[in-house]
Structure formats: structure tokens, C-alpha cells
Amino acid sequence: MKTTLCARALLLAGCASLATFAAPAAAQDTAADVAEEAETAEDDGTIYVTARRREERLIDVPLSVTAISGEDLLQQGVQDIVAVAQQVPNVTLEVSRGTNTTLTAFIRGVGQQDPVGGFEAGVGLYVDDVYLNRPQAAVLDIYEVERIEVLRGPQGTLYGRNTIGGAIKYVTAELPDETSVKIRGTYGSYDQADLIVSASTPISDSFKIGVAGARLSRGGFGENLTLGTENYNRDAWAARGTIEFDSGPVFIRLSGDYIKDNSLARQGHRLIPSLLTRQPVLGDVFDTRAGLNIVDQEVEAYGGALNIAIELNDTITIKSITGYREDSSTTPIDFDSLAAADLDVPAIYANDQFSQEFQLLYESENLSGVLGFYYLDANAFTAFDVALFTTVAGLTAQTLGDVNTKTWSVFGDFTYDLTDTISVSVGGRYTNDKRTSQVLRTTFLGGFSNLFGGTGAPLAVTSNFNGSATFKDFNPRASISWQPNADHNLYFTYSQGFKGGGFDPRGQTTACRNARGGACTPQEVFDFMAFDPETVDSFELGWKASLLDNRLNISLAGFIAQYTDVQIPGSVGFDANGDGVNESFIGITSNAADADVSGIEFEGKALVGKDFAGDGSRFSINWSLGVLDAKFNTFIDAFGRDVANQRVFQNTPDITAHMGFNMGLPVASGMLDFIGLASLRSDASQFEVPNPFLDQDGFVLVDASIVYTADSGLWSLGVHGKNLFDKEYIVAGYNFVAGGNPPGTPFVSTLGREGTLTGFYGDPRRVFVTAQINF
């Protein structure tokens, strides 16, 4: 039994349920100890994570990790991964502008908010250890989840490229040992009506199968006044299937998932009157006048994973993780949010990826670690038209971008116990990252191109770029931990990460001439389109403790991160013919900056009281605090000037914090939980250049839940309130205007005639009821 559980734990990223407090254990665990602890974890409350690619107690891991159980997320009424950021310090997770399913993620000031293929993520997202290469369809819904782990700081050694800010691990629930059927329904504000059904059963002593399906729907928060449709609605179908084989030392899991999102386009709210037609700002921030509808908003994504773990003996386990994913989407992006086609951009995204990872895990009395090999073959295709019909009649600029990524790496990370209380960890990863890119830009006259059903005729090819580059990097990691006993861990960790380089997917080769003041050689064009990797060196000092007989658990960390060659993507209006009018916009990405980010993070959970109102009653609190000081040391603008003192980190508030509580009272034949959560975010800027209209002042969101769970475990009923004080807050936006600051200064459009300054907002107040029946 112990062998089976250990193999399963290694494969499924933990076979322990997540509870509130860590229990005492031996400071140094052998392989047999780990298996035995895993077997009893449900009873003793130990929190296990796989942040270092092997199962460990959370308190033993020498880096900043937050783990939230699926059970806690359900009790709080959390419905997608975005809400996790409310409980984790120095983390921003948002739905990207114009979509319901594309994720924008930042950790400790590092991320990427542009979803176009060719830009690499700064935060890695993993589903059952399979890396998602693109942000499309990455706003994952919360159902059948074991836990979510958030790893803060660069994770280059164990997780590779594009985890320069951190990593998020979405761990799905393993199948139960007995036949199980669960039905969960939700109904609430804006006609929200969700239904999730899951079922699983053992076929034999070794085989289990499980399926889950979800129907997720909600009316819009606002209205599209031009099209007469809803804005910010939800209309999605999702499914997941799993097959498990468990023969003792061999564990195999085959899983697949699918999502189809037919939600209407999420269009922006104008923050200023239109400059040409003088249409006023609408009163409701969720309303829009966007008129672009030549393509529907549609997202389809699916993927599969094959995880195999073979325990050769008590010391060595080998593991294979094979993954394939594919997604496609169309979206009508109406930048100006007006009925007229002033700055309209219909777009297509199509991504696919294949990945293979092999691991050899070693666990002995005083040495543990992992050796591994990783391979990824991914393709990202993007196509969009830029319509500026009010600038030049019927003129459209089309961009086709095709980016292929082939990357492989070898890595290792080992921990050695020098004494009973002191251990050292050393690791490294070598990565070979090849990027091949094609960027084709064509000007059409007479309307949209035929790719989007238009009748425009090609007028001129303004850019036809083909380029390839290979980026090689070695990322080391080292740490030392002092654990005077099982309840304390004082550690110091050095880690390094890098974000891959590439070619600007919106770049235009003819713009090289404008930038350099004359004709460009092929090498100069290549250099103009390309940008280098971004790297970071991070130093972290931390303390984790379980105090007062495990009633109080705290984690405190201070860190300094030094960034070099920071990638600065941007979009600017472009005058192709020198007539003084910008006919389109182009991308210009450079490694224009270096920066330092320092901060502290403090997390805690405390059991304040138990059995005070009958057996089983309890009252606990939890909190987090993140403080960041992020500043550019240099920032070179397009004119060669250092403007570091005029630039800020985007999507990075100086302070993030939350305070929550859970009071459980035995009522009748069950437990009644009262759950509250308040999360704070200080002022934040949408872009590196501050903008008083788009930038969000500090705010607090308050959520509350009341959940009744029968002692039998057969049913539960909950009432949940989100954003109870109905706070309006901006999460994304577009800006193609100059002026307006100080107030009263006239606005000047930098692209189009109406002036594009639009915002997208987080969810308003919502109240909903959930009911679950278990068979």
C-alpha cells in the first residue's frame, strides 16, 4: 500500500489532502517515511507540494510557495483561476482585454499582457505538470481540482524558460477508490446558471475511469448599444476525462480536457468622448458602443496528457510526462469601442504544442533530488486586420505571424543533508531554445481582407520577414536550509531564470528605415525585428514555522531580484508614406531596460479556537501581505534617451494583502461555515507610461460565503457574495492618444481620428447559490 501511494504521489503531485496546518514530522525523511506520511496525511493535516518536482512538506521547501486546496476554493465559491490572486502576495491574474479565456499573469512584477504569438510568458502555467505555452484558453475553471500551487520567484532550474516571475501549478483531483457521482449546480446574479457533473468508478483492482462535464453560462454585466447584444457574458462548455492504471510500483494516468467558449466579445468602455463625432462617455462602465462584428468571438481548446511513474525500488522512481494541446480562437477587437470602424482589429489565434519530459527521482536517507530532460515543439499563428477606415477610406493593414518554437533542456536539482538540521540544495538547467518566425504585413484597399470575409484588394506588401535564432542559457539554483526541528525552516536561496527572445510579431521591416534614417542592410533588418532573452538573478531569505502545537503557521520571505535586458514590447502608430498620417500601428520590442525588484512576503494561518460551540466548532484566520519596490535603473526610449525616472512597472501594485476567516459551527447533522475574505491592492499602472485615466487607484474587494455541509458528506448548500461593495476597477485597457494631462489639455489621437482610450473592468457585485449532491 505504501509503495502504491508513493508512486501515485510522485505522479499526481501529492496524494495528501490540503488542510490548514502542518503537523510534526521527522526533520529528515527517508523514502519510506515520505510514503508513510502520505498515507496518513488526510488525518494529520500535513500540506504536501511538488514545487521542487518531488513531493515534500510545504514547510520543508526553501522557496515561496502558496498552496490552496480545491476544497477551500469550492467553499469560497471561487470559479476560475483568476480569483486565486486575491489570496497570494505580489501576484496579479486577470482576464486579458477583449476575451473571457486569455490569461494575463504577473508575479513579483514580471509577466506579459500581450497575447500575440511571438511574445513569451513571464509566468509559467502548468496543468498536471504539462506546461501551457500560450495564454489563450488559460483562464482555467475550478472544478475537480486537488489544489493550486503558486511558486513565486524565478523557477528556471526546475521549470525552465518563461518562469522568470514564477509558476502556477493546477493539479487536478485523483480518482477516488470507490464509485462516485457528484452534481454541483450554481444559480445567481446576471442569470448565472452553471452545472458541473462528475463521475468515476473502478473497473478492476487496477483500473479506474472518470469523466466530468461543465456547462457555464451567465448574462452580460453590460450591453453593446450598437449591436444590441450583451457585454461581459459567459457561454461555455467544458469536459475532462481520466483513465488510471495502478498496479503498485507502476502508475499510469491518461487525461484529456476540452473547452468551447461561445461567449460574446468582451468590448471596452471609452474613458473619453470620441474626438471626431463627440459621442459622450457612457454611464455604465460595462456598456460599449463597439460595432465590429465581422467575426464571432469563439474559443476552442483541447489537450491530453499521459503521465507514467514507475517505482524501481524504494530509492529510485522514473517518470514520463507527455502532453499535447491545441487551441484556436477568433475575436473582434474594437479598439475604439465605437460603431464606426475607426480602429477595428478582427483577429485569429491558433496554437498547438507537443511536450515530453522524463524525470529520474532519487530519495535516500540523506540525499534526494531529480534529474530530467524536457522537449517542446510549439507553433503559434496570429492573423489580424487593422482597419482605419476613417483615416484613409477603406485602408486595412493585415499582419500574419507564424512562430515556431523548438526547445530542449536538461536539468537536475538535489538536496543533501549535511547534518540532522542543515541541508544544501544545488541545481541547474541548460536550455537550447530555437525560435523561427515569419511576419508578413500587407496593405489592402477597399475594406477588410478576404481572411475575414472582406472585399479588400491587396495594395502592397510592406513587410515579409523570415528569421530564426537560437538562445542558449544555463540557470543555476542553490539554497541552504537550517531546520532546528520539524517546525522551523530558515533558508537562503539563489535562483536564476530567463524569458526567451524572439521577433516582434507586429514588427514591420520597412520601419527599420525610419528608425535608422536610411536604407537598412539585411542584418540591420534582422536586428530591428529581433529581441534578446530577459534574465533575472534572485536572492531570497525566508523563514517558515509551525508554532503553538501547529495552531499557527507562518511564512516570511524577503527577496531582491536583478533584471537585465528587460523586454519592452510596444505598439506605435506608423506613417508608411510620409504624409504625416499614421496608416497603421506596428510593434517595436527592445531590450531597453534593466531593473531591480525587492520586497517582502508574509503569509499566515492561525487556528484561533476550536470546540468552543460544540464538538467540531472552529474559528481560523488567514492572511497575506506583499510589499514590492520595483524600479527601472535604465529605460532607453525610441529616441535613445534614458527615461527610467518616467517609467513604472505595469500591473504591479506596491502592496497586496488579504485577510480571511472561516468559522465552522455544528448545526443539526452538519457543519455551517461562515467564510469571509477582504483583499487589497494598492495603486497600479496598466503600462510602463503612467496614465491617469487607465491606471487604477488602490481598492479593496470583499467576499463572503455561508456553506452548510452534511456530516454524511452527501450534500452541501452555499450562498456566496463576490465584490460585495460593488467596487469598479480597471484590469486592462488600450491607449492611442496623447495629451489629457494635466486635466484640460486637449487629447490628440495617435492612431485613428476618434482617439482610443478604453478600459476593461473586473466583475461587479455578484451573489449566487451553489448546491452539491454526492452519490
Side-chain angles (χ1 to χ4, degrees):
M1 181 65 174
K2 295 177 184 177
T3 301
T4 301
L5 284 169
C6 186
R8 182 182 303 157
L10 289 169
L11 177 60
L12 297 178
C15 52
S17 65
L18 296 180
T20 308
F21 307 104
Q28 309 302 330
D29 296 320
T30 65
D33 293 332
V34 171
E36 185 172 353
E37 288 170 4
E39 188 171 356
T40 59
E42 281 194 28
D43 298 325
D44 68 18
T46 303
I47 302 175
Y48 285 90
V49 296
T50 53
R52 292 197 293 176
R53 295 289 198 176
R54 53 192 187 268
E55 188 189 63
E56 301 172 283
R57 296 188 312 150
L58 178 60
I59 196 172
D60 295 332
V61 180
L63 55 90
S64 294
V65 183
T66 300
I68 306 176
S69 72
E71 180 181 355
D72 286 346
L73 294 171
L74 285 179
Q75 279 213 317
Q76 296 169 18
V78 173
Q79 296 179 321
D80 62 48
I81 199 171
V82 168
V84 170
Q86 290 182 235
Q87 305 177 56
V88 185
N90 294 327
V91 173
T92 296
L93 300 176
E94 302 290 0
V95 178
S96 298
R97 52 203 179 195
T99 176
N100 284 305
T101 59
T102 300
L103 182 67
T104 295
F106 282 76
I107 296 179
R108 292 182 177 178
V110 181
Q112 176 59 259
Q113 72 171 349
D114 197 323
V116 176
F119 293 130
E120 300 298 307
V123 174
L125 179 62
Y126 295 78
V127 177
D128 291 336
D129 280 338
V130 175
Y131 171 63
L132 304 191
N133 189 57
R134 302 302 308 152
Q136 285 80 25
V139 178
L140 304 173
D141 296 298
I142 303 298
Y143 70 100
E144 297 303 306
V145 176
E146 174 76 16
R147 70 181 178 276
I148 292 176
E149 298 177 20
V150 182
L151 289 58
R152 300 185 296 281
Q155 308 296 322
T157 299
L158 286 173
Y159 292 91
R161 54 190 278 281
N162 303 341
T163 57
I164 191 170
I168 300 172
K169 300 185 66 174
Y170 182 102
V171 183
T172 61
E174 62 178 290
L175 299 180
D177 293 329
E178 299 180 352
T179 299
S180 171
V181 177
K182 292 187 288 185
I183 302 174
R184 183 177 179 87
T186 301
Y187 184 78
S189 305
Y190 302 97
D191 291 328
Q192 178 183 352
D194 299 340
L195 180 65
I196 301 173
V197 179
S198 61
S200 64
T201 187
I203 301 300
S204 69
D205 291 341
S206 301
F207 275 101
K208 302 176 190 174
I209 61 171
V211 295
R215 170 62 173 139
L216 310 170
S217 65
R218 189 197 64 237
F221 300 146
E223 182 181 358
N224 187 315
L225 303 182
T226 299
L227 302 178
T229 57
E230 294 178 311
N231 202 26
Y232 289 79
N233 78 318
R234 187 78 197 278
D235 180 7
W237 296 84
R240 184 179 297 146
T242 305
I243 300 174
E244 291 181 358
F245 172 79
D246 187 352
S247 68
V250 177
F251 189 86
I252 301 174
R253 190 188 205 208
L254 177 64
S255 60
D257 62 89
Y258 175 84
I259 185 168
K260 182 70 162 64
D261 193 323
N262 296 314
S263 306
L264 297 171
R266 179 178 292 202
Q267 302 288 13
H269 171 79
R270 288 190 63 87
L271 303 176
I272 60 173
S274 57
L275 303 184
L276 182 66
T277 56
R278 308 305 303 173
Q279 296 192 52
V281 174
L282 295 172
D284 189 329
V285 298
F286 296 105
D287 286 347
T288 185
R289 294 191 182 94
L292 180 61
N293 64 347
I294 68 167
V295 294
D296 293 329
Q297 174 81 30
E298 290 183 337
V299 179
E300 184 176 30
Y302 54 89
L306 176 63
N307 291 26
I308 303 173
I310 303 174
E311 188 174 354
L312 300 180
N313 51 48
D314 290 342
T315 302
I316 298 175
T317 298
I318 59 174
K319 184 176 178 180
S320 169
I321 306 168
T322 307
Y324 179 81
R325 300 200 65 83
E326 189 168 327
D327 68 80
S328 61
S329 56
T330 58
T331 178
I333 308 173
D334 196 321
F335 279 63
D336 56 273
S337 291
L338 293 169
D342 185 59
L343 182 50
D344 288 0
V345 183
I348 296 172
Y349 301 98
N351 308 297
D352 62 78
Q353 66 173 83
F354 169 81
S355 62
Q356 175 63 56
E357 183 168 355
F358 296 106
Q359 298 177 8
L360 187 151
L361 297 102
Y362 181 87
E363 187 89 30
S364 67
E365 184 174 355
N366 58 0
L367 178 66
S368 62
V370 58
L371 291 173
F373 171 83
Y374 178 77
Y375 174 77
L376 172 72
D377 186 348
N379 183 264
F381 174 79
T382 305
F384 58 88
D385 281 6
V386 179
L388 292 165
F389 295 166
T390 57
T391 303
V392 179
L395 187 66
T396 298
Q398 182 189 85
T399 298
L400 302 178
D402 191 55
V403 181
N404 183 259
T405 297
K406 290 186 177 181
T407 183
W408 62 267
S409 60
V410 290
F411 62 92
D413 188 88
F414 281 84
T415 300
Y416 180 74
D417 301 329
L418 296 175
T419 69
D420 288 343
T421 61
I422 298 176
S423 62
V424 294
S425 297
V426 178
R429 187 184 195 106
Y430 174 80
T431 300
N432 183 292
D433 188 31
K434 183 179 181 180
R435 198 91 64 252
T436 302
S437 179
Q438 179 183 16
V439 181
L440 177 66
R441 294 176 65 97
T442 307
T443 299
F444 288 78
L445 187 63
F448 289 107
S449 69
N450 58 2
L451 187 63
F452 297 99
T455 58
L459 184 64
V461 174
T462 58
S463 184
N464 188 1
F465 174 80
N466 285 274
S468 181
T470 299
F471 308 99
K472 301 175 183 179
D473 198 72
F474 178 76
N475 299 136
R477 190 191 76 84
S479 68
I480 183 169
S481 296
W482 176 51
Q483 293 183 267
N485 55 52
D487 297 329
H488 293 269
N489 184 4
L490 182 66
Y491 67 88
F492 176 77
T493 296
Y494 164 76
S495 57
Q496 188 184 86
F498 89 108
K499 184 165 70 170
F503 305 93
D504 195 308
R506 287 190 294 256
Q508 182 155 313
T509 53
T510 54
C512 177
R513 179 182 62 250
N514 299 48
R516 300 185 182 276
C520 294
T521 66
Q523 183 61 48
E524 288 174 330
V525 171
F526 182 94
D527 294 340
F528 177 76
M529 295 287 289
F531 54 89
D532 291 329
E534 173 182 304
T535 60
V536 62
D537 290 278
S538 176
F539 306 85
E540 178 172 317
L541 178 65
W543 173 47
K544 297 182 180 183
S546 179
L547 309 173
L548 304 176
D549 196 22
N550 300 313
R551 294 171 68 105
L552 173 63
N553 284 254
I554 58 175
S555 176
L556 178 64
F559 58 89
I560 298 174
Q562 299 171 339
Y563 290 89
T564 56
D565 293 327
V566 180
Q567 298 167 4
I568 307 295
S571 297
V572 297
F574 180 62
D575 177 13
N577 55 21
D579 63 358
V581 177
N582 292 332
E583 294 87 8
S584 181
F585 71 85
I586 64 171
I588 298 178
T589 299
S590 62
N591 299 92
D594 67 79
D596 291 334
V597 179
S598 59
I600 60 171
E601 293 167 349
F602 180 40
E603 297 180 277
K605 298 178 181 180
L607 179 61
V608 179
K610 63 179 181 178
D611 298 332
F612 57 86
D615 292 342
S617 60
R618 51 183 161 64
F619 180 71
S620 63
I621 60 174
N622 56 86
W623 67 88
S624 68
L625 172 66
V627 180
L628 271 183
D629 180 19
K631 61 180 180 181
F632 289 106
N633 299 320
T634 59
F635 193 114
I636 309 302
D637 70 6
F639 301 98
R641 303 171 302 186
D642 187 351
V643 292
N645 62 346
Q646 302 171 34
R647 299 295 186 265
V648 298
F649 271 60
Q650 59 177 317
N651 289 308
T652 304
D654 292 338
I655 299 174
T656 55
H658 98 272
M659 176 65 75
F661 72 87
N662 187 329
M663 182 172 66
L665 301 175
V667 175
S669 297
M671 183 66 68
L672 186 64
D673 284 291
F674 297 87
I675 303 167
L677 174 69
S679 60
L680 175 146
R681 299 177 67 82
S682 64
D683 301 355
S685 177
Q686 288 298 322
F687 302 103
E688 284 86 4
V689 179
N691 183 294
F693 293 89
L694 273 178
D695 296 345
Q696 177 60 53
D697 293 335
F699 64 95
V700 175
L701 296 180
V702 177
D703 300 340
S705 298
I706 301 175
V707 181
Y708 182 81
T709 305
D711 286 340
S712 64
L714 294 179
W715 63 275
S716 64
L717 183 67
V719 179
H720 309 272
K722 301 295 181 183
N723 190 7
L724 288 178
F725 294 99
D726 205 22
K727 175 64 182 178
E728 291 181 356
Y729 58 101
I730 292 177
V731 298
Y734 294 112
N735 179 23
F736 286 99
V737 297
N741 190 31
T745 305
F747 287 98
V748 177
S749 177
T750 59
L751 192 60
R753 293 183 177 180
E754 296 283 12
T756 292
L757 185 59
T758 55
F760 298 83
Y761 288 77
D763 292 0
R765 177 171 52 227
R766 296 181 296 123
V767 178
F768 51 91
V769 177
T770 60
Q772 180 166 315
I773 300 175
N774 304 319
F775 299 95

